[in-house]
Amino acid sequence: MNQPAITLWSDADFFSPYVMSVYVALAEKGLPFTLKTVSLDKGEHLNPRWQGYALTRRVPVLEIDGFELSESSAIDEYLEERFAPPEWERIYPHDLQKRARARQIQAWLRSDLGPIREERATDVVFAGAKKPPLSTGAQSAAGKLIDTASTLLAQGHQNLFGEWCIADTDLALMLNRLILNGDEVPPRLADYAAFQWQRASVQRYVALSAKRPG
């Protein structure tokens, strides 16, 4: 079987949690791909000549043999279906209900908790930035995140569903927005996030942001 040509477009700083989700998915499936960048700071994503302009004008953008797709959760699901187990590594749980729950978690992390994303940008995670104390609204969002994550991980497992899935990476990143800034997070959740962060595919992405120019 011929290997399709795969390209992943990222922000130039490698700060995007959504690019990270797709990067990890590709790495976990063992799919070789070309990584290209577009500078969000310079507005390159708003240039009509950019590959992803006609989609959402955002990263990530995935290209596979002429097919282009944006939005990280859609890309993750597409990769799971196109490069399906058992031939390729699994990035979602095998069980139908657990798989639906993983997708629910991904959708929630992307659509809720806005004050955390605003006050704990990913330069905290990838560049060691430190931010002021959380506002009242962000404290409320952090409480919601902690309560929900505690419920999801109530069994004390190192992964959400007993084995790793892509939702683990997404949840760990959201928790690390708080943890790596020094905000108070229960030790059990901090241990979970630290365990997820040591995954080889995650560390490969973290290394990219560490090597960025400047």
Side-chain angles (χ1 to χ4, degrees), residues 47 59 70 80 99 117 172 176 178-179 186 202-203 208:
N47 187 326
V59 293
S70 63
E80 182 77 330
R99 190 160 66 248
R117 289 194 298 274
N176 271 336
L178 302 174
I179 295 165
V202 173
Q203 283 298 301
L208 290 173

Side-chain angles (χ1 to χ4, degrees), residues 149 153 157-160 167-172 175 187-197:
L153 295 162
H157 297 310
Q158 291 179 312
N159 301 302
L160 283 164
D168 282 301
T169 297
D170 292 346
L171 179 57
L175 288 167
R188 183 162 59 86
L189 297 184
D191 290 345
Y192 162 80
F195 176 78
Q196 295 300 328
W197 220 242

